[in-house]
Amino acid sequence: MTAVPSGPAFSVHDIPFSAHGSWFGISPVLAEKTRAEDLHLVSHQNGMHAVLSLIPLDAATGERAETRVEATPGLLSWTGADGRIDLAYESPDTVRVHGTGLGFGISAAARALTPFSGTYFYRDPVDGAHVFTSYETGRRYRVTVLSGTLADVTGSQSLGAGERGLTVTGGADGSWEVAVEELDSARAPFRSSASFGEVVEASRQSFAEFLDAVAPWRSAATPAAQLAAYVVWSATVRPAGLVTRPAVLMSKHWMDKVWSWDHCFNALALAPGCPGLAWDQFSLPFDHQDETGALPDSVTHSEVLYNFVKPPIHGWAFGHLRQRLPESLTPAQLTEAYDRLTRWTDFWLTARRAPGAALPHYQHGNDSGWDNATTFDPARVAVTADLSAFLILQLRELADLAAELDRPDDARTWTRSADATQAAMLDQLWTGERFVARGVDSDDTWSSSSLLDLMPIVLGEYLPESVSSVLADRIEAHLTSHGLATELPTSPHYRSDGYWRGPIWAPATVLIEDGLRRAGHERLADEISTRFRTLCETSGFAENFDALTGQGLRDRAYTWTASSYLLLARDAQQRRADAGSNATATTVA
């Protein structure tokens, strides 16, 4: 049989083949800078681990067959001269694999088995299925042959180093089918009433419904919307371990965490069409807020890290989230958000303000999200204007929330704090020509060629026009033909693949575009949006991009990049629609 693919085609070398809710994907990418010749089942429970090697085989010789790999949201296929193998998700923890004309080898990716690592393999006498148990993921991977012939089994119950796996080939009609499940200790023998074609169609339909929810506005003018939606849909996992809610990981490559500012952009992109999932994205890091009010640096299946934090963009994000949600949040949700944002804000006002200081500080570039930005070259522990700007927006959001929740005294307190922080920022960090950073333990100040120094534009309408105009001019100097370089390309510190020392990043783009637009610099905001969207349409949804060539860098399936594209594309479509309506109204009038 041949299943009919549907949806945007993509390369599994860039984007893993996975499904909404699943903790594993099918990919040749086994770790950062590590790619295999063949596809693997790669799980993200307990970290990123290649568990099973999946190899198409020549049915006559049993040797590896040369095939072409193709992927669409509902179907992954290996196509060779003598046959074809198709793989589709039946559920988040189960894939079905069907082949005709080719055999299929499923083996443990790790050859070595020790008392504490590797994969053990055996036949389960209860149902006859073959099971791989992985020390790394702490899970089992059960293979049930549904049709065809179990041609070979190697390494069952063996210890030490060696091959472990099985081979399946066609039956009388030349076809075969297996189910592969990721499970905990045990479950009932695998049974399914759905045909393989029905499994493919159900998976395709699941993605199609998500696409229609998050990007109903898509058109020929937004050619990357489908693939952006797939990146987000396929990187979503169901609650498990320390992940308390359905969560959009940053990637199902090695960046398989939820960082405590990345999640905001995914929440905003999901808000109009998937409000429940959007609320979960915004809330997840707050589920792990510590006793000081700090958010963790990151959350993943089996790890929560508190050694760094991330910038307090959450007031900004919450205000935009409320604007994008199709229905108002409930009083209980507003109260919960208020309490959590209050504790997060108090952390910055207490734990991150030195005695007598008016402004908060970072302890490392990692706290800013701009890990190695040149702003932090003179000192890592530093007072920077971007942090003050984000905190001011959060204070103003808290003032609005307090007023809405009928807490007028709180509202006045937050407003006074916002005004005082903004006054101190302008007094201590604004020179009249630029914002500078300041040492915490000294009065030393310095400037850099980093775009981070210009991030106070996020204050938008709250900035004096004389300040926002200077910032806009300086921002425009960072604009290459592809987008905003995070370090001026003329800087001696610029690096084409220098992380925050040059490459284009999605979050900086979205935050700056929004601040410029709210400050009245719409032409520049439009240009930044257009160039970034074109970049994604050309180079995909990489973690970041070479600012001069547009080449995608690092992790190539990054959800905050995809979500940022969806945000900017939706807003651009809305502006076009509004302009058309206004033009029509003017003509009629």
Side-chain angles (χ1 to χ4, degrees):
M1 65 160 292
T2 299
V4 178
S6 179
F10 59 91
S11 168
V12 291
H13 289 274
D14 293 335
I15 302 171
F17 180 79
S18 192
H20 191 88
S22 180
W23 277 93
F24 68 86
I26 310 299
S27 174
V29 179
L30 311 187
E32 185 177 9
K33 299 180 182 178
T34 303
R35 293 175 182 264
E37 182 179 14
D38 291 300
L39 300 186
H40 284 64
L41 185 152
V42 181
S43 180
H44 296 273
Q45 301 203 57
N46 282 334
M48 181 185 185
H49 302 289
V51 181
L52 301 178
S53 176
L54 310 174
I55 305 176
L57 302 172
D58 185 288
T61 66
E63 298 297 316
R64 183 181 180 278
E66 291 299 321
T67 58
R68 180 180 71 258
V69 176
E70 299 171 307
T72 59
L75 185 69
L76 173 69
S77 300
W78 295 259
T79 305
D82 299 318
R84 174 187 176 107
I85 300 170
D86 293 313
L87 181 150
Y89 276 81
E90 180 164 350
S91 70
D93 62 19
T94 303
V95 291
R96 294 266 290 273
V97 192
H98 180 280
T100 302
L102 295 173
F104 199 53
I106 304 174
S107 61
R111 286 180 57 86
L113 175 63
T114 78
F116 303 104
S117 66
T119 304
Y120 176 62
F121 178 57
Y122 67 97
R123 177 187 176 276
D124 189 340
V126 173
D127 60 5
H130 286 78
V131 180
F132 299 84
T133 71
S134 167
Y135 275 99
E136 283 69 28
T137 69
R139 301 299 181 275
R140 299 166 187 252
Y141 300 83
R142 183 170 69 179
V143 181
T144 303
V145 178
L146 305 180
S147 65
T149 301
L150 185 61
D152 184 47
V153 176
T154 302
S156 180
Q157 301 185 50
S158 67
L159 304 177
E163 295 281 349
R164 293 173 175 82
L166 58 88
T167 300
V168 61
T169 59
D173 65 351
S175 69
W176 53 265
E177 189 172 339
V178 300
V180 183
E181 304 164 87
E182 182 177 55
L183 51 92
D184 294 338
S185 296
R187 65 172 55 158
F190 179 82
R191 299 285 185 272
S192 176
S193 60
S195 68
F196 185 80
E198 290 169 335
V199 168
V200 174
E201 175 57 24
S203 182
R204 185 203 66 78
Q205 185 61 32
S206 175
F207 170 67
E209 291 171 358
F210 180 85
L211 174 62
D212 285 343
V214 301
W217 39 261
R218 65 192 185 277
S219 71
T222 59
Q226 289 188 67
L227 194 55
Y230 175 75
V231 169
V232 176
W233 178 82
S234 64
T236 304
V237 296
R238 65 190 186 281
L242 296 170
V243 175
T244 51
R245 304 164 182 261
V248 181
L249 303 179
M250 290 312 104
S251 174
K252 279 185 181 168
H253 287 322
W254 60 90
M255 300 294 281
D256 56 353
K257 297 183 179 184
V258 176
W259 275 269
S260 291
W261 70 313
D262 310 46
H263 70 110
C264 292
F265 300 92
N266 289 331
L268 295 179
L270 291 166
C274 300
L277 187 58
W279 177 251
D280 285 334
Q281 300 325 295
F282 182 79
S283 302
L284 194 152
F286 286 96
D287 293 345
H288 297 278
Q289 198 167 18
D290 74 10
E291 65 277 4
T292 71
L295 297 184
D297 186 51
S298 62
V299 179
T300 191
H301 177 270
S302 303
E303 175 186 84
V304 180
L305 299 182
Y306 291 95
N307 55 323
F308 294 107
V309 293
K310 285 293 174 276
I313 69 166
H314 302 82
W316 169 87
F318 187 71
H320 282 279
L321 182 69
R322 294 187 69 187
Q323 294 172 19
R324 291 172 181 270
L325 289 169
E327 296 181 1
S328 299
L329 293 172
T330 66
Q333 288 174 312
L334 291 176
T335 299
E336 178 182 70
Y338 179 78
D339 292 343
R340 288 177 158 190
L341 284 171
T342 293
R343 295 179 59 218
W344 179 219
T345 304
D346 284 343
F347 164 80
W348 288 100
L349 294 176
T350 55
R352 290 300 181 88
R353 282 202 301 193
L359 299 175
H361 60 268
Y362 291 129
Q363 294 176 344
H364 188 282
N366 288 1
D367 287 341
S368 74
W370 294 53
D371 308 2
N372 66 336
T374 54
T375 299
F376 300 101
D377 282 358
R380 308 288 182 260
V381 182
V383 175
T384 63
D386 68 294
L387 172 54
S388 297
F390 292 139
L391 193 60
I392 291 162
L393 289 177
Q394 193 152 291
L395 288 162
R396 297 200 186 284
E397 184 65 26
L398 280 169
D400 290 345
L401 267 174
E404 190 170 346
L405 293 170
D406 196 23
R407 303 182 188 188
D409 291 343
D410 284 3
R412 285 189 289 271
T413 298
W414 293 125
T415 298
R416 285 195 296 269
S417 184
D419 291 344
T421 303
Q422 183 159 333
M425 180 189 74
L426 292 171
D427 178 59
Q428 298 179 22
L429 302 181
W430 178 247
T431 69
E433 297 180 352
R434 65 192 311 143
F435 281 104
V436 296
R438 181 180 293 275
V440 176
D441 298 322
S442 71
D443 290 329
D444 294 344
T445 63
W446 61 87
S447 60
S448 76
S449 296
S450 175
L451 186 64
L452 184 62
D453 291 8
L454 307 177
M455 287 304 294
I457 194 66
V458 298
L459 285 168
E461 68 275 21
Y462 298 112
L463 276 177
E465 193 279 333
S466 59
V467 176
S468 72
S469 293
V470 172
L471 292 178
D473 289 343
R474 290 188 175 276
I475 288 167
E476 191 155 17
H478 284 257
L479 188 59
T480 73
S481 58
H482 302 288
L484 289 171
T486 46
E487 180 80 7
L488 274 177
T490 55
S491 164
H493 304 293
Y494 176 87
R495 299 291 181 271
S496 59
D497 187 9
Y499 227 49
W500 294 92
R501 290 177 175 245
I504 296 165
W505 286 79
T509 301
V510 170
L511 286 162
I512 287 174
E513 190 266 0
D514 173 68
L516 286 168
R517 197 172 297 283
R518 289 187 292 108
H521 301 283
E522 295 186 359
R523 178 200 60 80
L524 181 55
D526 286 344
E527 193 61 37
I528 290 169
S529 172
T530 298
R531 294 190 193 189
F532 184 79
R533 286 181 284 117
T534 301
L535 175 63
C536 292
E537 290 159 5
T538 303
S539 300
F541 305 105
E543 184 180 356
N544 55 70
F545 304 87
D546 186 308
L548 301 183
T549 69
Q551 177 188 358
L553 302 172
R554 309 294 176 113
D555 194 312
R556 300 300 296 276
Y558 217 74
T559 56
W560 76 357
T561 308
S563 287
S564 294
Y565 176 84
L566 292 170
L567 281 170
L568 296 173
R570 174 184 179 269
D571 290 351
Q573 289 286 85
Q574 187 61 55
R575 286 193 297 273
R576 280 191 286 268
D578 291 345
S581 297
N582 291 337
T584 300
T586 301
T587 301
V588 171

